Amino acid sequence: MKSALTEENPFISTDEVREWLKQRNEAVHVKIEQVKFADMKQWYTDPQDGSIRHESGRFFSIEGVRVKTNWGNVPEWSQPIINQPEVGILGIITKEFNGILYFLMQAKIEPGNINNVQLSPTLQATKSNYLQVHKGKKPLYLDYFTGQGEVESKVLLDQLQSEQGARFLKKRNRNIIVEVGDDIEVLDDFCWLTLGQIKKLLMYDNLVNMDTRTVISCIPFGDYPADMIDFYKTLQPGTTESDEFKTSLLMSMLETERHLHEIDDIISWITRLKTKYELDVVPVPLNSVEHWVRDDYSIYHELKKYFSVIAVSVEIGNREVRSWTQPLIKSAQEGIMAFLVKRINGVCHFLVQAKLEAGNFDIIELAPTVQCLTGNYRDGFKEYDVPFLDYVLNAAPKQVHYSTLQSEEGGRFFKEQNRNIIIEVGDDFPVDVPENYTWMTLNQVLIFIKFNNYLNIEARSLISAARFI
Amino acid sequence: MKSALTEENPFISTDEVREWLKQRNEAVHVKIEQVKFADMKQWYTDPQDGSIRHESGRFFSIEGVRVKTNWGNVPEWSQPIINQPEVGILGIITKEFNGILYFLMQAKIEPGNINNVQLSPTLQATKSNYLQVHKGKKPLYLDYFTGQGEVESKVLLDQLQSEQGARFLKKRNRNIIVEVGDDIEVLDDFCWLTLGQIKKLLMYDNLVNMDTRTVISCIPFGDYPADMIDFYKTLQPGTTESDEFKTSLLMSMLETERHLHEIDDIISWITRLKTKYELDVVPVPLNSVEHWVRDDYSIYHELKKYFSVIAVSVEIGNREVRSWTQPLIKSAQEGIMAFLVKRINGVCHFLVQAKLEAGNFDIIELAPTVQCLTGNYRDGFKEYDVPFLDYVLNAAPKQVHYSTLQSEEGGRFFKEQNRNIIIEVGDDFPVDVPENYTWMTLNQVLIFIKFNNYLNIEARSLISAARFI
């Protein structure tokens, strides 16, 4: 991949992007109202099992599952879960201008977005969307990703990546980046940005949507520009602490020798944990999920924990107003996703957690050091221990290299944002960690991302925010 | 991993191993008789759904599934399948003597083995085995793999690998190699062999069991001995065609540049096919599986195709005779597993197939170029086309670099053997191949094996037979 980490852009500056998103936000008419389940159109509650489904049988459904596991403190529970077996596309078109690779980004509204318009990939479409099940228009730029039609593009990456295992049943999307050679029309609400600009915009709360974050997290280190590697070779100790940290992050991405564990050892560790932990998930009727209550407007846990399922009516538009109804998931509170990072052999190592969630495709996935809802520690009762949470909550400001609120996907989640944090630990922080944790360099993290379904969406979201220069 | 490809062995020569296996075969008392399902002890037929289960609820069960897919010519079918959710251990202990790594192999009998005794890993145990559900003795050498007890060992590799997707529902086993430093008692029926000897024994029919083949197929190229790499660097064009082929195989393993496709491109290809093909597998009662017939002795397809489920009584022993009953799967005929190999850029490339089977963990796995039962082409009616089958059946003898009969696991399969073939294609064989096929170097194959669940057991069995010096 050609140099793309610059924040210089002759098309639009980073400040202008922020202003542009703000203007789009102001210009757009958005009306989201919670409605009764019974008042949704084209969505119905199955009289047999209480599940919520679309009349077409497509898109997604809200169902019930019973989970049994020997991971954590809770051996068995039932919960609602989103079942979306279709694999969708999250795709970005790129094009080189004057030796620099630009990403075609979209200012897009989703009903659940906390601030309406966020920076999204060129295309985000479920299979139902692009097969036009809802009889809508063909998604813009679709042909560049499907290889159909008369357009030409080259696939730079195409990976299957998981989404929230606590909310989705084995959901995966294709994360695709294609490059075009020919000129391409930049439609309304689209613009060309560099990877450096996108990473800069990740320093702000809720500007870059989840789909963008997962796609850019997949860009492999080998594809970073040669000039960055040259830059690395000439590195001097940074003049500020922040520079020094960025330098060691960059080393963590480029360095293939000074890691604590070999890839083979990390695979052995994953194998051992996948064998140790059992995850048994069976479908149960949604209306028999224990401890969950249903009223006309929502399905919620009796202690108001975790999340609820709600129904909304949506009106969105500028000149042309579209309206529809759909279910959304509403989180009970904010969550925290934090990576602890430690310099080992002079190279940043990320403390990765092997985490089990109900909807995981293969028992455990690699997660941030801390990933939890804040309700767990705000309440007096700790349902489960969260190792390293106290460390994260009590970190000194100078240890915190990254801290923003980032949104989950607004097409499924109602105004959900989670704090994303990267914290550097000191020399006194032990190298020895509990069984479910291990240290990995960014280089190693990126290798595992490449082979699909290893890093969870929460970890990838944080990785996407890593900035090096 | 230290040099292990030598066939020299001060403990036991390769010829002596063959003689030893032969003697063990003659010395052992084995009596296998087909019995009625109703005459099995501790195994019962569920009166509700007709499934066959063990009283403990463990080991494995024979169940029914209905399969829907858009892969191949048959969009929907039902079949019996083995459900064995427990992850077992296939483990080999290694130890260095005089700078050479030796593998502790076992002469082991399984009820379904075509010739009774085969060369097996140090340990092969289901979770039920090693948790001693059948109240038997603790499996020999178990502690070296579980890290329990007072023994010490170092894990060289530990990977989750799939087994036959046409017969098992998402079955996986841990493939483990550990190294010990201290002396270790070599019990009756065990001996130390080099990797070179095991690969030499793979030139003979049915001597090396399936479990050994899958474990040694996982040994990563990076762990091959330095002297082999030195040897590679000094390579001259081989004096015989066979030498020349081995040389290009070795290059295929060590070469990281002269491949036709990049790893990222192969991942994109896999992603595209996993998205294109749908695999919907739902449990159905075994007694309602269409086109399958059940009598007192077996469950078979009405056209006597594919396989049947039978019940056997087993008597095995030398001094001490053990006896039990169990279900086994009996194949309708032999199968063929063949890799076509082509020199591209002077390096051997394997023609890998993306193949969908009912029990696959993730839709498709990478399979040999040809993998089918012979019944499919022997009968007049071709249920499905098998690309490249004619090429394999009509290859000239000088193209055939490897051709042996190899057994499937005798603990589940009754006298099942499949022809394993490696064929070199000529310059006139096209580089362009159909959508479900791609060319990979051995180096790339070994990378995908490492990341688990990519290469199927049939492909790994063939890869294990590749010999380089």
Side-chain angles (χ1 to χ4, degrees):
Chain A
M1 203 170 278
K2 291 95 184 171
S3 178
L5 284 169
T6 176
E7 288 167 24
E8 300 291 316
N9 183 345
F11 303 114
I12 185 169
S13 75
T14 311
D15 284 343
E16 284 166 344
V17 177
R18 292 174 60 204
E19 184 57 31
W20 175 62
L21 288 171
K22 194 171 155 226
Q23 283 173 1
R24 292 278 148 180
N25 250 326
E26 288 163 358
V28 72
H29 163 76
V30 181
K31 189 173 164 197
I32 314 286
E33 282 184 332
Q34 196 170 349
V35 297
K36 291 184 183 176
F37 288 124
D39 290 341
M40 283 195 292
K41 286 159 198 153
Q42 298 185 297
W43 292 85
Y44 70 98
T45 297
D46 184 300
Q48 294 285 319
D49 63 11
S51 61
I52 299 171
R53 297 174 186 279
H54 192 262
E55 285 172 1
S56 65
R58 304 199 71 141
F59 297 105
F60 62 93
S61 54
I62 312 288
E63 305 178 11
V65 288
R66 171 160 298 127
V67 184
K68 290 185 191 176
T69 182
N70 57 351
W71 190 92
N73 295 339
V74 184
E76 187 171 346
W77 72 90
S78 302
Q79 68 166 82
I81 202 159
I82 312 172
N83 188 3
Q84 183 170 349
E86 294 180 357
V87 174
I89 292 180
L90 308 178
I92 300 181
I93 294 176
T94 65
K95 181 170 161 59
E96 191 183 330
F97 299 95
N98 296 321
I100 291 175
L101 199 67
Y102 288 80
F103 293 64
L104 188 60
M105 305 304 293
Q106 180 182 12
K108 191 172 196 303
I109 307 164
E110 293 283 359
N113 279 359
I114 207 159
N115 49 353
N116 301 331
V117 175
Q118 294 186 357
L119 201 63
S120 307
T122 317
L123 173 72
Q124 52 190 60
T126 64
K127 211 166 188 174
S128 295
N129 282 149
Y130 66 74
L131 295 177
Q132 295 163 265
V133 173
H134 58 335
K135 301 192 175 61
K137 281 182 290 187
K138 182 160 138 179
L140 299 172
Y141 300 109
L142 177 65
D143 290 346
Y144 290 93
F145 299 97
T146 57
Q148 286 159 349
E150 294 183 1
V151 299
E152 278 192 22
S153 61
K154 183 184 156 207
V155 176
L156 298 185
L157 70 83
D158 186 357
Q159 302 176 358
L160 272 183
Q161 298 291 0
S162 62
E163 299 203 353
Q164 291 82 350
R167 307 286 175 81
F168 285 108
L169 188 61
K170 300 189 178 188
K171 185 184 177 197
R172 301 191 295 185
N173 270 325
R174 278 170 85 173
N175 288 233
I176 313 185
I177 299 181
V178 298
E179 184 178 0
V180 296
D182 295 338
D183 277 346
I184 180 173
E185 190 186 1
V186 177
L187 300 167
D188 263 6
D189 294 322
F190 288 82
C191 69
W192 291 113
L193 297 183
T194 66
L195 186 56
Q197 286 182 298
I198 299 169
K199 283 183 174 282
K200 175 73 181 238
L201 291 163
L202 273 165
M203 304 299 286
Y204 299 94
D205 292 349
N206 300 315
L207 286 191
V208 179
N209 86 346
M210 188 200 86
D211 300 323
T212 302
R213 302 201 304 277
T214 171
V215 176
I216 71 168
S217 78
C218 300
I219 298 174
F221 64 93
D223 287 350
Y224 275 90
D227 57 353
M228 203 169 86
I229 294 167
D230 291 343
F231 171 81
Y232 166 63
K233 287 180 184 155
T234 63
L235 276 178
Q236 302 296 325
T239 45
T240 69
E241 280 184 14
S242 170
D243 279 355
E244 205 189 296
F245 182 73
K246 281 187 195 169
T247 302
S248 58
L249 261 190
L250 181 60
M251 286 168 65
S252 181
M253 188 171 72
L254 298 173
E255 182 61 63
T256 57
E257 308 248 313
R258 288 189 283 164
H259 42 244
L260 187 64
H261 303 294
E262 299 296 329
I263 286 279
D264 286 5
D265 296 332
I266 296 170
I267 290 173
S268 295
W269 171 74
I270 294 170
T271 301
R272 214 160 52 238
L273 294 176
K274 283 190 179 176
T275 311
K276 175 175 179 180
Y277 294 120
E278 288 165 11
L279 173 60
D280 180 31
V281 178
V282 292
V284 294
L286 183 57
N287 51 22
S288 76
V289 166
E290 290 154 22
H291 304 299
W292 289 74
V293 183
R294 183 176 195 139
D295 61 25
D296 288 346
Y297 287 89
S298 63
I299 302 171
Y300 56 94
H301 189 271
E302 61 189 14
L303 300 177
K304 305 271 169 74
K305 296 198 295 188
Y306 314 123
F307 62 87
S308 55
V309 182
I310 62 171
V312 293
S313 76
V314 182
E315 267 181 32
I316 284 178
N318 294 328
R319 293 155 300 238
E320 187 188 346
V321 174
R322 291 186 303 133
S323 65
W324 70 91
T325 53
Q326 69 164 88
L328 284 177
I329 301 293
K330 184 179 175 181
S331 191
Q333 359 36 46
E334 273 174 41
I336 283 196
M337 301 160 189
F339 262 127
L340 296 187
V341 177
K342 180 178 170 71
R343 281 184 235 188
I344 302 173
N345 305 327
V347 174
C348 274
H349 282 66
F350 288 71
L351 186 54
V352 172
Q353 176 189 184
K355 187 170 174 65
L356 181 143
E357 295 184 292
N360 280 358
F361 191 80
D362 191 9
I363 308 170
I364 55 161
E365 293 189 9
L366 306 183
T369 320
V370 170
Q371 176 192 328
C372 66
L373 289 175
T374 53
N376 178 59
Y377 63 86
R378 281 188 187 150
D379 295 349
F381 170 67
K382 274 199 190 177
E383 182 168 323
Y384 48 96
D385 286 326
V386 181
F388 307 111
L389 178 60
D390 287 344
Y391 194 99
V392 168
L393 295 175
N394 297 306
K398 69 168 190 173
Q399 291 181 271
V400 180
H401 290 283
Y402 181 73
S403 177
T404 61
L405 288 167
Q406 297 297 344
S407 300
E408 302 311 306
E409 222 277 302
R412 299 290 173 271
F413 301 110
F414 183 72
K415 299 192 177 180
E416 175 164 358
Q417 56 181 354
N418 291 294
R419 183 151 292 281
N420 280 232
I421 315 177
I422 299 178
I423 288 174
E424 188 176 14
V425 303
D427 291 342
D428 56 335
F429 192 93
V431 172
D432 283 343
V433 288
E435 184 185 18
N436 289 1
Y437 297 79
T438 199
W439 296 104
M440 291 168 65
T441 63
L442 197 48
N443 186 296
Q444 294 177 323
V445 166
L446 288 166
I447 289 174
F448 278 102
I449 286 181
K450 188 196 306 214
F451 285 92
N452 303 340
N453 272 117
Y454 277 101
L455 274 286
N456 76 0
I457 176 73
E458 290 83 0
R460 299 199 311 279
S461 175
L462 275 164
I463 293 300
S464 75
R467 295 174 76 217
F468 318 104
I469 54 179
Chain B
M1 202 170 279
K2 293 95 186 169
S3 180
L5 284 171
T6 176
E7 289 166 25
E8 300 290 314
N9 183 345
F11 302 116
I12 184 170
S13 75
T14 311
D15 285 342
E16 284 167 344
V17 177
R18 292 175 59 204
E19 184 58 32
W20 175 64
L21 288 171
K22 195 173 152 221
Q23 283 173 4
R24 291 278 148 182
N25 249 326
E26 288 162 359
V28 73
H29 164 77
V30 180
K31 191 173 161 197
I32 313 288
E33 282 185 331
Q34 196 171 348
V35 298
K36 291 183 181 176
F37 287 127
D39 290 343
M40 284 194 293
K41 287 160 198 153
Q42 298 185 297
W43 292 86
Y44 70 98
T45 296
D46 184 299
Q48 295 284 317
D49 63 11
S51 61
I52 299 171
R53 298 175 183 280
H54 192 262
E55 285 171 1
S56 65
R58 305 199 70 142
F59 297 104
F60 62 94
S61 54
I62 312 287
E63 305 178 10
V65 287
R66 171 162 296 130
V67 184
K68 289 185 193 179
T69 183
N70 56 351
W71 191 92
N73 294 338
V74 185
E76 186 171 350
W77 71 90
S78 303
Q79 67 166 85
I81 204 160
I82 312 172
N83 189 1
Q84 183 170 349
E86 294 180 355
V87 174
I89 292 179
L90 309 178
I92 300 180
I93 294 177
T94 64
K95 182 170 160 60
E96 190 184 331
F97 298 96
N98 296 320
I100 291 175
L101 199 67
Y102 288 80
F103 293 66
L104 188 61
M105 305 305 292
Q106 180 183 10
K108 190 169 195 308
I109 307 166
E110 293 284 359
N113 279 359
I114 207 159
N115 50 352
N116 301 332
V117 175
Q118 294 186 359
L119 201 63
S120 307
T122 318
L123 174 72
Q124 52 191 59
T126 63
K127 210 165 188 175
S128 295
N129 283 150
Y130 67 75
L131 296 176
Q132 294 163 267
V133 172
H134 59 334
K135 302 193 171 62
K137 283 182 289 189
K138 181 160 138 179
L140 299 171
Y141 300 109
L142 177 66
D143 290 346
Y144 289 93
F145 300 97
T146 57
Q148 286 159 351
E150 294 184 0
V151 299
E152 278 192 20
S153 61
K154 182 184 157 211
V155 176
L156 298 185
L157 70 84
D158 186 356
Q159 302 176 359
L160 272 184
Q161 298 292 359
S162 62
E163 300 202 354
Q164 290 83 350
R167 309 286 176 79
F168 286 108
L169 188 62
K170 300 190 176 186
K171 184 184 177 198
R172 300 191 295 184
N173 271 323
R174 278 171 85 172
N175 287 234
I176 313 185
I177 299 180
V178 299
E179 184 178 0
V180 298
D182 294 337
D183 278 345
I184 178 172
E185 190 184 1
V186 177
L187 299 166
D188 263 4
D189 295 318
F190 288 82
C191 70
W192 291 113
L193 297 184
T194 66
L195 186 56
Q197 287 183 297
I198 298 169
K199 282 183 174 282
K200 175 72 181 240
L201 290 164
L202 272 165
M203 304 299 286
Y204 299 93
D205 291 349
N206 299 314
L207 287 189
V208 179
N209 85 348
M210 189 199 85
D211 300 323
T212 302
R213 301 199 305 276
T214 173
V215 176
I216 70 167
S217 78
C218 301
I219 298 173
F221 65 93
D223 286 350
Y224 276 89
D227 55 356
M228 203 169 86
I229 294 167
D230 291 344
F231 170 81
Y232 167 63
K233 286 179 186 158
T234 63
L235 276 179
Q236 302 299 322
T239 46
T240 69
E241 281 184 12
S242 169
D243 279 358
E244 204 189 297
F245 182 73
K246 281 186 194 170
T247 301
S248 57
L249 262 189
L250 182 59
M251 285 167 66
S252 181
M253 188 172 71
L254 298 174
E255 182 61 63
T256 57
E257 308 247 314
R258 287 190 284 163
H259 41 244
L260 186 64
H261 303 294
E262 299 296 330
I263 285 279
D264 286 4
D265 296 331
I266 297 171
I267 290 173
S268 295
W269 171 75
I270 295 171
T271 301
R272 214 158 53 234
L273 294 177
K274 283 190 179 176
T275 311
K276 174 175 179 178
Y277 294 120
E278 288 166 8
L279 173 60
D280 179 32
V281 178
V282 292
V284 294
L286 183 57
N287 52 21
S288 77
V289 166
E290 290 154 21
H291 305 299
W292 289 75
V293 183
R294 183 178 195 136
D295 62 23
D296 288 346
Y297 286 89
S298 64
I299 301 171
Y300 56 92
H301 190 271
E302 59 188 14
L303 300 177
K304 306 273 169 68
K305 295 198 294 185
Y306 313 123
F307 61 86
S308 56
V309 182
I310 62 172
V312 294
S313 77
V314 182
E315 269 182 28
I316 285 178
N318 294 328
R319 293 155 300 240
E320 188 186 345
V321 174
R322 291 187 303 133
S323 64
W324 71 91
T325 52
Q326 70 165 86
L328 283 177
I329 301 294
K330 184 178 175 182
S331 191
Q333 358 39 42
E334 274 172 43
I336 284 197
M337 300 160 187
F339 262 128
L340 295 187
V341 177
K342 180 179 170 70
R343 283 184 232 187
I344 301 172
N345 305 327
V347 174
C348 275
H349 282 67
F350 288 70
L351 185 54
V352 173
Q353 178 190 182
K355 188 171 171 65
L356 179 143
E357 296 185 291
N360 280 359
F361 191 79
D362 190 9
I363 309 172
I364 55 160
E365 292 190 6
L366 306 183
T369 320
V370 170
Q371 176 191 328
C372 67
L373 288 176
T374 53
N376 178 59
Y377 62 85
R378 282 189 188 149
D379 295 349
F381 170 66
K382 277 200 187 174
E383 183 168 322
Y384 48 97
D385 286 325
V386 182
F388 306 111
L389 179 60
D390 288 342
Y391 193 99
V392 168
L393 295 175
N394 297 305
K398 70 167 189 173
Q399 292 181 271
V400 180
H401 289 284
Y402 181 72
S403 176
T404 61
L405 287 168
Q406 297 295 345
S407 299
E408 301 312 306
E409 224 274 301
R412 297 291 172 272
F413 300 110
F414 182 71
K415 299 194 177 178
E416 177 165 357
Q417 56 181 354
N418 291 294
R419 184 151 291 280
N420 280 231
I421 315 178
I422 299 178
I423 289 173
E424 188 176 13
V425 302
D427 291 341
D428 55 337
F429 192 94
V431 172
D432 282 344
V433 288
E435 184 185 17
N436 289 1
Y437 297 79
T438 200
W439 296 104
M440 292 168 65
T441 64
L442 197 47
N443 185 296
Q444 294 177 324
V445 166
L446 288 165
I447 289 173
F448 278 101
I449 286 181
K450 188 197 302 216
F451 285 92
N452 303 341
N453 272 115
Y454 278 100
L455 274 287
N456 76 358
I457 176 72
E458 291 82 0
R460 300 200 312 279
S461 174
L462 274 164
I463 293 300
S464 74
R467 296 175 76 215
F468 318 105
I469 55 176

